[in-house]
Amino acid sequence: MKDDSFLKITGLSKSFGGVEALSNVSFDLKQGESLGIIGPNGSGKTTLVNLITGFVKPDSGKVFFRGKEITGKRPYTIANLGIARTFQMAKAFHHLPAFKNIIIPLRSPRVKTFRGAQYGERDDIAIDLLEEVGFERDSAVPLKTAKSLPHGYLKRLELARCMALRADVIILDELFSGMSMSEVASTLPIIEKLKEEGKTVVMIEHRLRELFRVVNCLIVLNFGQKIAEGSPAEVMGSEAVKAAYLGSEE
Amino acid sequence: MAKIRREKKDSNGKYRKERLDRGIKARSDTIFALTSYREALYLVVPRAVTIIGLLILPLVLDIWWTKVMIMACVIAILALSWDFIASAGMLSLGQALFFGAGGYLAGVLNYYWGLSPLYTIPIATIAGATVCTLLFLPVLRLRGIYFAMVTFAMPLILVRIIEATRIWGGIEGLSALTPLPNLWVSAYLVIAAVFACLFGFRRLMDSDYGLVLRGMMDNDQAVMAGGINIYWYKAQTLFIGSAAGAFIGAFMTHYYRIVGTSAFSIDYSILPVACTVVGGPGNFAGAMFGAFILVPLCEYLRAIGSWRIVLYSFLMVIFVVAVPEGIFNYLERKYHQFEHWVKTG
Ligand SMILES: Nc1ncnc2c1ncn2[C@@H]1O[C@H](COP(=O)(O)OP(=O)(O)OP(=O)(O)O)[C@@H](O)[C@H]1O
Ligand SMILES: [Mg+2]
């Protein structure tokens, strides 16, 4: 297992009852690369994220991170290794104030190893992180309970959780869906900045224009199978992709 | 709107009504900043009344009512323990397991080894909590009603095992155990325990540690995505909660001087839940409050014989229907709505 691959999956498959949600999908990412995953609704994109991050166990196939197998490890173990994800349906702690939502990942073993160096008080770090994702610092917004926040804020709260973990791989599952145009415009630079910092970004996105500003390679899923892979330009020109998208999208 | 515009005039000028907590609330919903002794008093008085009131009770009550108060404290601790475990998202219907485990451990240590309550109670608290946590480990993955059903069944199974194997005195139980020195010691011991649980649990839930527990109640998956081992935190929560239950079970063993299978009785599982629901879940004060309403009520109704359960259940339904948020939460809300006149003109 000696190669320079950073995040590598081989032959991942998963069925739910009779539905084959994902079949035999592989890819290989180097550190700092960014990957886009697209595909029609129900093509298995979220399932792929769940398999990588340990929320669902694969029927077959393997996941490697930094050369070590992490297949079937628990979600919190994988998060502590440095793979963080957002949820398509934002999962906030509705009864807690927004900034307290960020305290929870800040208590993880992973973040504890960073603390002491330059990390300060948890509350301050949380408010700083929320400011980075566009929660106005001096307003009441970071103090509001999560259930009273608009949907776009909840999605950005998801992003802030990944940033709190200081993850090396950040997987964004349709982060932009449910955000307003201006929210997308202000969130995109955050993702670009994460990339500049050397983070590996995996992005599932229906908004292709924004997606292509971030990613340099792309895979396309259809009915759980990988039907194309390559640079965005190559992939979007392929016949298989055109066929899959005709009639099934928009 | 009508409320806000209420004004009155007198010779000194205009006045309007203002909520007592206005100054505190206006600054922030989550962070208190007290600026006057008056505001401090407003927050301190309810707590002080509770503490002092409970400390005085054994001095003013007769023996019978003191015993009722002890029983209320016992159920209050089981209710506090239930509320604590519930605030980490675990619905327990097995408080009797904690109670019985502590009770039997104290009984066995006293009966077979002759240890004094000074040792049996602390040992039973820790060992009982360990046993209960280990028993629950395999089902930590269950949620909601599935978790509840397993916890409900566990004490019932243990009763059957004790009956079948005739260990620890079988059906008769262990009797003639060492009593506690006197009623005063018993009363103040349980009162101290109630305060320890009430303020301890509240403290814990306000800390960053408690934040993780509250997070698990909202959403297990998001907690895991945050890199937190939820099973480790759930096990710790169960340990703390069951320690409270085991402590009070051990206490009761010495208080009654006997321990039998009734220590696993479903009363100890159900009554704490009823108290928490009637008082109001989620803030511990409600759970305690509920116990101090339901237990004395239950004892008082003994006089009317078999109609007791009917009337008792009926009253409980009334409480729950009339004040679904819980009596304590209702009173707290009303307390914060108290108004006073302030000069405006
Ligand atoms: N937990 C589950 N149980 C049963 N079926 C599931 C489960 N999760 C996903 N599926 C099924 O697997 C298939 C792929 O779903 P998935 O959510 O991965 O698609 P997706 O590409 O993320 O779609 P979308 O664009 O709508 O988010 C769907 O047919 C879905 O119904
Ligand atoms: Mg999806």
Side-chain angles (χ1 to χ4, degrees):
Chain A
M1 231 21 269
K2 195 73 209 100
D3 54 45
D4 66 342
S5 73
F6 190 58
L7 178 65
K8 175 167 154 181
I9 67 168
T10 55
L12 275 190
S13 302
K14 178 74 194 178
S15 344
F16 295 105
V19 186
E20 186 146 58
L22 207 70
S23 68
N24 199 23
V25 171
S26 309
F27 68 72
D28 194 343
L29 262 184
K30 292 190 180 56
Q31 186 158 18
E33 270 188 337
S34 47
L35 172 74
I37 302 174
I38 62 170
N41 289 112
S43 55
K45 305 181 295 290
T46 300
T47 304
L48 180 55
V49 177
N50 285 338
L51 292 178
I52 296 172
T53 52
F55 283 87
V56 174
K57 300 221 178 334
D59 296 339
S60 62
K62 290 192 165 118
V63 184
F64 298 93
F65 181 55
R66 294 179 190 276
K68 287 206 192 71
E69 184 172 351
I70 57 163
T71 326
K73 285 211 192 319
R74 305 223 154 265
Y76 43 83
T77 312
I78 293 176
N80 280 307
L81 288 173
I83 304 182
R85 54 105 36 111
T86 68
F87 290 97
Q88 186 173 352
M89 295 290 172
K91 290 188 197 295
F93 307 117
H94 292 284
H95 294 98
L96 301 182
F99 79 102
K100 295 279 187 191
N101 271 257
I102 303 304
I103 306 279
I104 291 177
L106 287 178
R107 275 191 66 94
S108 66
R110 177 179 175 82
V111 177
K112 281 191 181 141
T113 62
F114 291 116
R115 276 167 67 87
Q118 69 252 57
Y119 257 30
E121 279 299 308
R122 285 201 194 95
D123 283 6
D124 298 335
I125 306 164
I127 303 258
D128 287 347
L129 278 166
L130 286 183
E131 190 181 26
E132 275 189 60
V133 297
F135 284 55
E136 300 79 0
R137 172 184 283 272
D138 292 320
S139 71
V141 181
L143 302 179
K144 278 192 179 167
T145 53
K147 67 168 173 260
S148 65
L149 290 176
H151 190 232
Y153 277 89
L154 294 181
K155 296 303 281 266
R156 285 183 278 149
L157 202 55
E158 291 271 315
L159 181 59
R161 185 180 60 223
C162 297
M163 291 160 65
L165 276 172
R166 298 189 153 197
D168 303 313
V169 179
I170 297 183
I171 309 182
L172 307 169
D173 192 354
E174 296 192 29
L175 183 68
F176 292 154
S177 73
M179 280 195 189
S180 68
M181 290 306 278
S182 65
E183 279 178 315
V184 172
S186 62
T187 310
L188 197 56
I190 305 171
I191 299 170
E192 285 173 327
K193 183 157 159 270
L194 289 172
K195 238 183 80 180
E196 275 163 30
E197 288 169 4
K199 311 280 186 200
T200 306
V201 178
V202 177
M203 212 172 159
I204 295 174
E205 200 44 70
H206 283 303
R207 293 177 190 247
L208 297 183
R209 184 159 9 117
E210 283 79 12
L211 180 68
F212 294 162
R213 274 181 57 185
V214 176
V215 303
N216 42 28
C217 57
L218 190 64
I219 66 177
V220 185
L221 295 179
N222 194 25
F223 291 114
Q225 294 189 320
K226 187 171 82 175
I227 57 169
E229 178 172 23
S231 74
E234 279 165 28
V235 167
M236 294 320 284
S238 113
E239 289 304 319
V241 174
K242 281 181 188 158
Y245 266 79
L246 272 184
S248 59
E249 257 279 286
E250 261 90 43
Chain B
M1 290 312 277
K3 259 192 185 161
I4 296 166
R5 258 188 261 111
R6 262 183 322 201
E7 286 185 349
K8 79 171 183 186
K9 265 187 186 170
D10 66 10
S11 51
N12 294 323
K14 273 188 174 175
Y15 289 82
R16 74 180 157 76
K17 268 194 170 178
E18 187 178 281
R19 277 173 59 159
L20 275 180
D21 66 347
R22 183 168 178 271
I24 304 173
K25 275 266 156 86
R27 271 160 244 142
S28 160
D29 232 7
T30 44
I31 298 159
F32 280 1
L34 303 178
T35 56
S36 67
Y37 83 94
R38 190 174 185 157
E39 284 175 6
L41 220 55
Y42 166 79
L43 292 177
V44 165
V45 164
R47 290 162 175 79
V49 167
T50 317
I51 296 174
I52 296 169
L54 202 50
L55 287 176
I56 291 177
L57 270 186
L59 303 175
V60 295
L61 296 177
D62 62 19
I63 290 188
W64 191 81
W65 278 108
T66 304
K67 286 182 175 167
V68 172
M69 188 216 70
I70 290 176
M71 198 59 208
C73 288
V74 168
I75 298 300
I77 287 174
L78 288 175
L80 286 165
S81 152
W82 185 87
D83 206 12
F84 178 65
I85 293 172
S87 45
M90 289 178 285
L91 211 58
S92 150
L93 285 178
Q95 297 303 92
L97 178 71
F98 310 157
F99 188 88
Y104 262 101
L105 277 166
V108 167
L109 289 170
N110 185 246
Y111 189 89
Y112 295 107
W113 281 287
L115 290 182
S116 89
L118 213 54
Y119 299 105
T120 60
I121 295 181
I123 296 174
T125 304
I126 303 295
T130 311
V131 169
C132 295
T133 311
L134 290 178
L135 280 175
F136 279 143
L137 274 189
V139 294
L140 279 190
R141 225 141 279 177
L142 300 181
R143 279 191 67 86
I145 192 70
Y146 301 101
F147 181 82
M149 286 317 295
V150 175
T151 57
F152 185 70
M154 273 188 194
L156 305 182
I157 296 170
L158 283 181
V159 170
R160 293 284 168 271
I161 292 177
I162 292 172
E163 282 175 5
T165 58
R166 305 224 174 92
I167 48 166
W168 305 333
I171 302 171
E172 281 87 50
L174 305 170
S175 52
L177 302 173
T178 312
L180 293 164
N182 59 48
L183 198 60
W184 298 99
V185 173
S186 306
Y188 282 104
L189 189 59
V190 276
I191 289 176
V194 167
F195 286 142
C197 289
L198 176 67
F199 295 114
F201 290 163
R202 283 178 74 109
R203 229 315 145 64
L204 200 57
M205 291 312 285
D206 283 340
S207 68
D208 281 0
Y209 180 89
L211 219 50
V212 177
L213 306 192
R214 284 153 73 190
M216 291 196 295
M217 181 162 78
D218 266 349
N219 200 316
D220 273 359
Q221 292 201 321
V223 179
M224 288 198 278
I228 303 273
N229 183 344
I230 57 170
Y231 304 113
W232 175 234
Y233 274 80
K234 284 188 180 186
Q236 290 177 357
T237 308
L238 276 175
F239 184 85
I240 297 169
S242 56
F247 167 83
I248 206 63
F251 165 85
M252 282 303 262
T253 292
H254 289 290
Y255 178 67
Y256 282 154
R257 307 188 57 193
I258 178 169
V259 60
T261 48
S262 64
F264 288 114
S265 144
I266 63 170
D267 288 355
Y268 294 118
S269 294
I270 302 301
L271 201 51
V273 187
C275 294
T276 315
V277 171
V278 166
N283 57 26
F284 304 114
M288 177 180 160
F289 199 78
F292 276 88
I293 292 178
L294 288 191
V295 174
L297 188 69
C298 182
E299 295 299 324
Y300 189 70
L301 291 178
R302 263 181 212 285
I304 62 169
S306 54
W307 280 95
R308 179 172 77 112
I309 299 296
V310 178
L311 191 61
Y312 182 66
S313 315
F314 185 68
L315 284 172
M316 238 167 71
V317 172
I318 301 229
F319 283 144
V320 173
V321 172
V323 206
E325 64 188 319
I327 297 175
F328 179 82
N329 292 351
Y330 174 82
L331 293 178
E332 189 186 34
R333 197 158 52 80
K334 286 292 160 200
Y335 178 70
H336 288 313
Q337 287 169 356
F338 272 150
E339 294 168 325
H340 62 143
W341 294 106
V342 288
K343 202 168 176 186
T344 57

